[in-house]
Amino acid sequence: MVRVKLRFAGGLQVVFSDRERALRQVEELAERGTHKPVLIYGPEGCGKTALLRQAFEILKEWGYGVIYYSPAEWAGGRLLTTEDLRELARGVAEVLNLPAAVLDKLLELAARAVRLGRGRVAVLLDDVFQAVGVDRAEHLVKALLNFIEYPPRDYERVVVLAASSEGTTRRRVGRHRWAELRVMWNMPRAGFGELLSQIPPPKPDLDTAWRLTGGNPDLAGELAAGGWDVGWAVAKIAAERRIRELAASLSQRQRAVLQEALEDPDAVEKHMAEEGAEALKLVEALVDRNLIIDWLPEREGRLWIDEPPPERDPVIGVGKSFAWQTPLHREAVRKALTP
Ligand SMILES: Nc1ncnc2c1ncn2[C@@H]1O[C@H](COP(=O)(O)OP(=O)(O)OP(=O)(O)O)[C@@H](O)[C@H]1O
Ligand SMILES: [Mg+2]
């Protein structure tokens, strides 16, 4: 299997590392096709785009005509197709700057490929829910399902994958039968080590890098580009997520709950069940700022893409159903709570 080259922070290029289980899972999907759109949710920067890029290559090797679309990408990389679909894709390229129009066109393109007798077609969508908005996201997922269930003509296999870090659509789409939800986590430790070995020195050892990033490749890139200046990285997260403002708005009780969550993220859930509204507001504020994730499912393999994190890992801030996005997100909150 060809491993794709990926852009990494600081102008570096890296080779797609690890994710062995995820790659096997993509191959299984290629072998069977997807009977529903598969929606992959994961924390920011965990490697969703990288995985879709690698999936593109795998599906191509499996004889699929592949369409990849990511509205967040730079213009040249926003729409990628395999060679066989390039001619058909011209119509889409014309409306590339209008996400809503593009998605209709993309489905049309996939349908035309099927109609013209292309037996294997794959549609990979990256970050489209944010671009089209929550309401249209539901509609889009239904349209993708319709494409699979009511194709314009018989096909051999279709694969539809979409990736997002956006929590609201996860809740909205999750209540329908229209899609299969999977969760992807940051990289497992050994795999993260493989990525770290591609970053030139000076850099910390694996143990230190792991304790800082929890295996989040994007954060590793940020740190590497910033000369592994941890204080700066924490301050940057605090500024971006407006953590001081959050800390100032907390009640005495919420502060205590948050303090507890620094040691055990699941504590927030426990308080939510016991105390209701106040704790719930705290969770909303933390989720809204992308500091914690409140939707880790059971560690049942089929609910996950790649290896799930352990049920509890205090070192990197992972709990059963709640987790800090990365250890440095937790550090930024800890700092704001410390007088
Ligand atoms: N398996 C991997 N091997 C090597 N590099 C990786 C891997 N996964 C991710 N990266 C790199 O880490 C960085 C973040 O990954 P990526 O952009 O795929 O995350 P993401 O989950 O799509 O983030 P976002 O939520 O912001 O869309 C990128 O520079 C990417 O190239
Ligand atoms: Mg991405």
Side-chain angles (χ1 to χ4, degrees), residues 41-311:
Y41 281 94
E44 287 185 306
C46 73
K48 299 175 293 295
T49 298
L51 180 65
L52 285 186
R53 290 298 181 94
Q54 184 63 41
F56 185 107
E57 289 307 315
I58 295 174
L59 290 158
K60 190 168 107 183
E61 283 177 18
W62 276 75
Y64 279 78
V66 190
I67 304 161
Y68 167 90
Y69 174 61
S70 168
E73 272 286 335
W74 54 286
R78 217 168 281 164
L79 175 70
L80 303 171
T81 71
T82 41
E83 192 62 49
D84 53 315
L85 300 181
R86 210 143 290 164
E87 206 41 54
L88 282 180
R90 269 181 216 286
V92 184
E94 284 164 17
V95 291
L96 214 51
N97 293 321
L98 312 163
V102 172
L103 287 160
D104 286 339
K105 287 264 184 200
L106 281 181
L107 277 171
E108 234 173 76
L109 164 62
R112 271 172 69 202
V114 168
R115 209 177 296 125
L116 290 172
R118 196 75 181 78
R120 297 183 183 190
V121 174
V123 180
L124 311 180
L125 302 174
D126 199 4
D127 290 325
V128 292
F129 300 142
Q130 289 98 319
V132 298
V134 173
D135 292 325
R136 275 192 54 99
E138 270 179 292
H139 166 84
L140 170 66
V141 173
K142 185 70 199 295
L144 291 165
L145 177 65
N146 279 342
F147 168 64
I148 296 174
E149 291 189 332
Y150 306 103
R153 117 172 212 191
D154 266 355
Y155 57 72
E156 194 188 341
R157 276 168 232 164
V158 158
V159 167
V160 177
L161 300 179
S164 175
S165 61
E166 202 279 307
T168 314
T169 53
R170 195 196 54 83
R171 274 195 296 278
R172 296 274 285 263
V173 177
R175 42 183 204 186
H176 304 291
R177 62 153 200 109
W178 301 343
E180 201 181 304
L181 267 53
R182 299 282 192 99
V183 177
M184 178 173 172
W185 194 245
N186 296 322
M187 299 180 80
R189 190 182 151 110
F192 178 71
E194 233 181 86
L195 169 61
L196 188 65
S197 70
Q198 295 191 63
I199 302 174
K203 62 183 169 189
D205 60 16
L206 173 57
D207 193 51
T208 308
W210 176 255
R211 282 164 183 276
L212 294 173
T213 63
N216 185 288
D218 184 63
L219 182 55
E222 285 261 317
L223 283 165
W228 297 91
D229 181 343
V230 178
W232 164 79
V234 169
K236 186 161 177 279
I237 292 174
E240 285 166 357
R241 316 292 158 119
R242 302 181 330 255
I243 291 179
R244 232 183 345 194
E245 182 191 303
L246 169 72
S249 74
L250 298 176
S251 68
Q252 203 69 1
R253 187 70 205 124
Q254 285 173 324
R255 246 180 132 74
V257 173
L258 192 51
Q259 196 78 45
E260 216 178 303
L262 293 175
E263 306 314 319
D264 173 14
D266 283 330
V268 198
E269 189 179 33
K270 189 186 79 197
H271 287 289
M272 217 161 69
E274 286 166 4
E275 297 159 35
E278 221 181 337
L280 186 65
K281 272 222 177 82
L282 173 63
V283 173
E284 275 169 4
L286 293 168
V287 171
D288 186 50
R289 284 172 164 79
N290 265 326
L291 292 167
I292 62 160
I293 281 178
D294 63 342
W295 38 261
L296 296 192
E298 275 176 49
R299 306 318 195 251
E300 147 69 52
R302 279 165 300 182
L303 297 174
W304 294 81
I305 288 280
D306 206 51
E307 306 289 345
E311 282 222 341

Side-chain angles (χ1 to χ4, degrees), residues 6-8 14-17 44-50 187 195 217:
L6 299 162
R7 275 179 294 147
F8 200 68
V14 294
V15 176
F16 185 89
S17 305
E44 287 185 306
C46 73
K48 299 175 293 295
T49 298
M187 299 180 80
L195 169 61

